[in-house]
Amino acid sequence: MTAITHLTSATEEQRAAITAPLGAHSRDQGFVWNPTHVTLALRDGETIFGGLIGFTQWDWLYVEILAVDASLRGQGWGRKLIEAAENIVRDNGCCGLWLSTFTFQAPTFYERLGFTRCGEIPNYPAGQSRLFYMKHVETTDDT
Protein backbone atom coordinates (compact mmCIF):
# COMPACT_ATOMS: atom_id res chain seq x y z
CA MET A 1 0.00 0.00 0.00
CA THR A 2 1.28 3.47 -0.88
CA ALA A 3 2.04 5.69 2.14
CA ILE A 4 4.01 8.82 3.02
CA THR A 5 7.16 8.17 5.06
CA HIS A 6 9.29 10.86 6.71
CA LEU A 7 12.93 10.03 5.93
CA THR A 8 15.04 11.91 8.47
CA SER A 9 18.26 11.33 6.51
CA ALA A 10 17.71 10.25 2.92
CA THR A 11 20.43 8.37 1.06
CA GLU A 12 21.57 9.49 -2.38
CA GLU A 13 19.69 6.49 -3.81
CA GLN A 14 16.47 7.55 -2.07
CA ARG A 15 16.88 11.17 -3.22
CA ALA A 16 17.43 9.95 -6.79
CA ALA A 17 14.27 7.81 -6.60
CA ILE A 18 12.24 10.76 -5.26
CA THR A 19 13.44 13.18 -7.95
CA ALA A 20 13.19 10.67 -10.83
CA PRO A 21 9.51 11.42 -11.67
CA LEU A 22 10.25 15.17 -11.86
CA GLY A 23 13.25 14.51 -14.09
CA ALA A 24 11.14 12.31 -16.37
CA HIS A 25 8.39 14.93 -16.61
CA SER A 26 10.91 17.70 -17.37
CA ARG A 27 12.54 15.51 -20.02
CA ASP A 28 9.13 14.84 -21.59
CA GLN A 29 8.63 18.61 -21.82
CA GLY A 30 12.02 19.05 -23.55
CA PHE A 31 13.97 20.21 -20.48
CA VAL A 32 16.54 17.60 -19.50
CA TRP A 33 17.89 18.11 -15.97
CA ASN A 34 21.63 17.81 -16.41
CA PRO A 35 23.39 20.37 -14.20
CA THR A 36 27.11 21.03 -14.43
CA HIS A 37 28.60 21.68 -11.02
CA VAL A 38 30.72 24.80 -10.50
CA THR A 39 33.11 25.04 -7.57
CA LEU A 40 35.56 27.90 -7.12
CA ALA A 41 37.87 27.64 -4.10
CA LEU A 42 39.48 30.70 -2.51
CA ARG A 43 42.70 29.18 -1.31
CA ASP A 44 46.20 29.88 -0.12
CA GLY A 45 48.23 26.74 -0.67
CA GLU A 46 46.19 23.86 0.68
CA THR A 47 44.03 26.04 2.95
CA ILE A 48 40.60 27.02 1.65
CA PHE A 49 39.21 30.35 2.86
CA GLY A 50 35.83 30.21 1.12
CA GLY A 51 34.65 30.16 -2.45
CA LEU A 52 31.63 29.73 -4.66
CA ILE A 53 29.49 26.62 -5.17
CA GLY A 54 26.78 26.37 -7.79
CA PHE A 55 25.75 24.79 -11.05
CA THR A 56 24.84 25.67 -14.60
CA GLN A 57 21.54 24.47 -15.99
CA TRP A 58 19.24 25.73 -18.75
CA ASP A 59 21.54 28.66 -19.67
CA TRP A 60 21.89 30.04 -16.14
CA LEU A 61 24.40 29.62 -13.32
CA TYR A 62 22.77 29.23 -9.92
CA VAL A 63 25.04 30.35 -7.07
CA GLU A 64 24.21 28.14 -4.09
CA ILE A 65 26.98 29.44 -1.82
CA LEU A 66 29.36 32.40 -1.87
CA ALA A 67 31.52 32.64 1.23
CA VAL A 68 34.70 34.52 2.12
CA ASP A 69 36.52 34.01 5.41
CA ALA A 70 36.32 37.03 7.74
CA SER A 71 40.10 37.48 7.51
CA LEU A 72 39.80 38.18 3.75
CA ARG A 73 36.61 40.25 3.66
CA GLY A 74 36.82 43.77 2.30
CA GLN A 75 39.68 42.87 -0.05
CA GLY A 76 37.60 42.26 -3.17
CA TRP A 77 37.56 38.45 -3.04
CA GLY A 78 33.76 38.20 -3.17
CA ARG A 79 33.70 40.41 -6.27
CA LYS A 80 36.51 38.36 -7.84
CA LEU A 81 34.59 35.14 -7.20
CA ILE A 82 31.46 36.58 -8.88
CA GLU A 83 33.58 37.80 -11.81
CA ALA A 84 35.09 34.31 -12.17
CA ALA A 85 31.55 32.88 -12.15
CA GLU A 86 30.53 35.40 -14.83
CA ASN A 87 33.43 34.16 -16.96
CA ILE A 88 32.14 30.60 -16.55
CA VAL A 89 28.71 31.84 -17.65
CA ARG A 90 30.26 33.34 -20.80
CA ASP A 91 32.48 30.32 -21.49
CA ASN A 92 29.47 27.99 -21.27
CA GLY A 93 27.16 30.08 -23.46
CA CYS A 94 24.88 30.89 -20.53
CA CYS A 95 23.03 34.19 -20.16
CA GLY A 96 23.23 34.97 -16.46
CA LEU A 97 23.52 34.14 -12.77
CA TRP A 98 20.89 33.88 -10.05
CA LEU A 99 21.10 33.40 -6.31
CA SER A 100 19.42 34.01 -3.00
CA THR A 101 20.65 35.75 0.11
CA PHE A 102 19.14 37.15 3.29
CA THR A 103 18.69 40.71 4.50
CA PHE A 104 21.19 40.00 7.31
CA GLN A 105 23.80 38.82 4.80
CA ALA A 106 24.89 40.68 1.66
CA PRO A 107 22.08 42.19 -0.44
CA THR A 108 23.90 45.48 -1.03
CA PHE A 109 27.01 43.57 -2.15
CA TYR A 110 25.06 41.91 -4.96
CA GLU A 111 23.29 45.16 -5.89
CA ARG A 112 26.69 46.92 -6.23
CA LEU A 113 27.73 44.16 -8.64
CA GLY A 114 24.71 44.80 -10.88
CA PHE A 115 22.33 42.12 -9.63
CA THR A 116 18.62 42.93 -9.73
CA ARG A 117 16.27 41.78 -6.98
CA CYS A 118 13.63 39.52 -8.53
CA GLY A 119 11.89 38.05 -5.49
CA GLU A 120 11.46 38.11 -1.74
CA ILE A 121 10.10 35.90 1.01
CA PRO A 122 9.32 38.28 3.87
CA ASN A 123 9.78 37.28 7.50
CA TYR A 124 12.11 34.39 6.60
CA PRO A 125 13.78 33.99 9.00
CA ALA A 126 11.66 35.86 11.54
CA GLY A 127 12.27 39.60 11.26
CA GLN A 128 14.33 39.23 8.09
CA SER A 129 13.72 38.36 4.42
CA ARG A 130 15.12 35.93 1.90
CA LEU A 131 15.96 37.81 -1.29
CA PHE A 132 16.40 36.49 -4.82
CA TYR A 133 18.70 38.18 -7.32
CA MET A 134 19.56 37.75 -10.99
CA LYS A 135 22.09 39.25 -13.35
CA HIS A 136 22.25 39.00 -17.11
CA VAL A 137 25.82 38.64 -18.33
CA GLU A 138 26.85 40.16 -21.62
CA THR A 139 28.78 37.96 -23.99
CA THR A 140 31.19 39.05 -26.68
CA ASP A 141 28.36 38.49 -29.19
CA ASP A 142 26.07 41.01 -27.41
CA THR A 143 25.95 44.46 -28.97
Side-chain angles (χ1 to χ4, degrees):
M1 174 176 11
T2 303
I4 297 172
T5 305
H6 180 193
L7 305 175
T8 56
S9 61
T11 66
E12 283 301 315
E13 183 178 273
Q14 290 168 324
R15 291 177 60 84
I18 289 168
T19 60
L22 181 59
H25 178 74
S26 295
R27 197 171 35 259
D28 291 346
Q29 303 304 309
F31 296 96
V32 176
W33 180 255
N34 187 24
T36 301
H37 295 281
V38 173
T39 306
L40 301 172
L42 180 56
R43 64 190 315 165
D44 185 354
E46 293 300 312
T47 305
I48 295 177
F49 291 94
L52 182 148
I53 298 171
F55 60 85
T56 59
Q57 175 68 34
W58 299 324
D59 300 328
W60 285 80
L61 189 155
Y62 171 59
V63 178
E64 294 178 88
I65 300 289
L66 174 70
V68 176
D69 187 80
S71 67
L72 296 176
R73 289 190 194 134
Q75 299 176 38
W77 290 110
R79 178 182 44 78
K80 291 173 187 175
L81 285 163
I82 291 293
E83 289 170 350
E86 289 174 354
N87 288 333
I88 290 170
V89 166
R90 287 183 195 93
D91 292 346
N92 287 281
C94 295
C95 61
L97 301 92
W98 71 282
L99 55 88
S100 69
T101 190
F102 295 92
T103 50
F104 63 87
Q105 289 179 327
T108 57
F109 166 77
Y110 295 111
E111 291 165 2
R112 284 194 312 267
L113 294 178
F115 283 80
T116 302
R117 188 185 308 184
C118 58
E120 177 177 355
I121 302 173
N123 208 36
Y124 175 65
Q128 301 290 324
S129 291
R130 184 170 187 174
L131 307 173
F132 296 85
Y133 284 90
M134 60 175 279
K135 181 179 182 181
H136 285 278
V137 175
E138 292 185 20
T139 64
T140 54
D141 294 338
D142 293 341
T143 54

